[in-house]
Amino acid sequence: YQAFGWEIPTYIHCPPVMKDAQNKLSKRNGDASYQDLVAKGYLSEAVMNYICLLGWSPKGEYAEQEIFSLEELIKIWSPDGISKSPAIFDPLKLRAINAEYIRRLSPEEFQKKAEPWIDQAVHTPIDKKLLCANLQPRCEVLEDIPPQLDFFDAVLPIDAEMYRNKKQKTTPESAKEALTALLPVLEAQTDWTRDAIFEACKTLAESMEKKNGWLLFPLGIALSGKSRTPGGGTDLAAMMGKEETVKRVKAALEKL
């Protein structure tokens, strides 16, 4: 309560319990305080939600519920839910609850919270709105964001074997064929939005009698140098712009 700047309600008189929770937070999670968790990208509401469940659990119709608003907690809290056993701080459970809170943010709220973390990792112009739309379902804690974006400022080294994918039926040789066919399509594209780029690529794949993944998986590798990215090939292309996309596809073809 003090960490959130709230007045401690008169019905709460359990400093030993809170002290025990604080000790477990420090020893088991490696974080000394609520402020440390927030600095790592945990949301205040998620931390509050989780701490309220340490050593206490709801009863009745709420017994299986884990995500509560402050108003709900005030409504259903009662001392008979306090466990006699010591509370166990589970960092993975806190992370899961935080992930759920992130999923429930509006796109605008998520972008506002994510932008400082994006700016740590990316210093070139990108479509942040589209990036955030891809990041939100892939992010559990905001500090997860920067490591996913290390390719935007400079493409990472690409091993030709990265183009090999059994599911997409791609090889380094097929990747060269795909990117060679894609390059003029991308160069000719005037509507540089994700949907328009995807439709152009889809049309090309159909004309070649290939699956979309056969064409777009190599594009994602060529643009990022990574097999896992916040978005597929057409998303990345839309995020980084036409000039950078064409430049990277040409560089990838030279290496292939």
Side-chain angles (χ1 to χ4, degrees):
Y1 275 84
Q2 290 171 340
F4 282 86
W6 299 333
E7 181 179 351
I8 299 177
T10 56
Y11 58 81
I12 293 184
H13 298 285
C14 52
V17 173
M18 296 305 293
K19 184 176 180 181
D20 184 50
Q22 175 68 33
N23 288 339
K24 287 180 170 61
L25 175 67
S26 177
K27 292 177 182 177
R28 302 195 181 197
N29 200 46
D31 299 294
S33 69
Y34 153 81
Q35 286 82 2
D36 290 334
L37 288 170
V38 171
K40 292 176 69 174
Y42 286 87
L43 304 186
S44 297
E45 299 83 357
V47 176
M48 178 204 69
N49 190 147
Y50 179 70
I51 289 178
C52 286
L53 297 177
L54 278 177
W56 177 84
S57 58
K59 304 294 183 182
E61 62 181 300
Y62 301 100
E64 300 301 318
Q65 185 174 335
E66 291 184 330
I67 307 299
F68 296 95
S69 67
L70 177 59
E71 291 74 18
E72 287 176 316
L73 287 166
I74 292 172
K75 178 182 176 181
I76 68 173
W77 193 91
S78 62
D80 59 356
I82 297 176
S83 172
K84 295 181 180 180
S85 303
I88 298 177
F89 190 91
D90 184 353
L92 295 180
K93 176 64 71 174
L94 171 59
R95 189 176 179 89
I97 288 177
N98 196 75
E100 182 60 31
Y101 270 84
I102 285 178
R103 306 287 183 274
R104 296 187 182 195
L105 292 173
S106 70
E108 296 75 19
E109 289 174 322
F110 177 75
Q111 183 169 341
K112 183 177 179 180
K113 294 179 182 297
E115 278 192 345
W117 298 86
I118 294 172
D119 292 341
Q120 288 181 24
V122 184
H123 304 93
T124 55
I126 57 170
D127 184 337
K128 289 184 180 179
K129 183 177 181 180
L130 178 57
L131 173 59
C132 286
N134 281 275
L135 281 173
Q136 189 167 0
R138 294 173 169 85
C139 176
E140 295 183 341
V141 180
L142 294 175
E143 71 169 0
D144 293 343
I145 292 175
Q148 298 185 58
L149 312 181
D150 53 353
F151 62 90
F152 275 109
D153 284 354
V155 68
L156 304 177
I158 301 175
D159 184 331
E161 284 302 306
M162 294 178 68
Y163 291 106
R164 193 179 302 281
N165 185 287
K166 185 176 181 180
K167 180 180 178 181
Q168 305 296 350
K169 298 181 180 179
T170 59
T171 64
E173 292 74 24
S174 71
K176 183 176 181 180
E177 180 185 355
L179 294 177
T180 299
L182 261 176
L183 182 57
V185 172
L186 295 172
E187 289 178 319
Q189 187 67 22
T190 55
D191 183 354
W192 202 260
T193 58
R194 177 186 57 181
D195 292 344
I197 298 168
F198 178 80
E199 285 302 318
C201 294
K202 180 182 176 183
T203 299
L204 174 61
E206 290 172 351
S207 69
M208 298 177 70
E209 298 183 346
K210 300 291 187 180
K211 297 287 188 180
N212 289 341
W214 182 90
L215 198 67
L216 297 180
F217 179 77
L219 177 61
I221 297 294
L223 295 182
S224 67
K226 302 179 75 169
S227 56
R228 297 184 65 183
T229 56
T234 52
D235 292 84
L236 299 183
M239 289 177 207
M240 62 180 55
K242 180 177 179 177
E243 182 179 351
E244 185 65 19
T245 296
V246 170
K247 175 183 174 182
R248 294 192 183 197
V249 170
K250 287 181 177 179
L253 274 170
E254 288 179 8
K255 293 180 180 178
L256 281 167

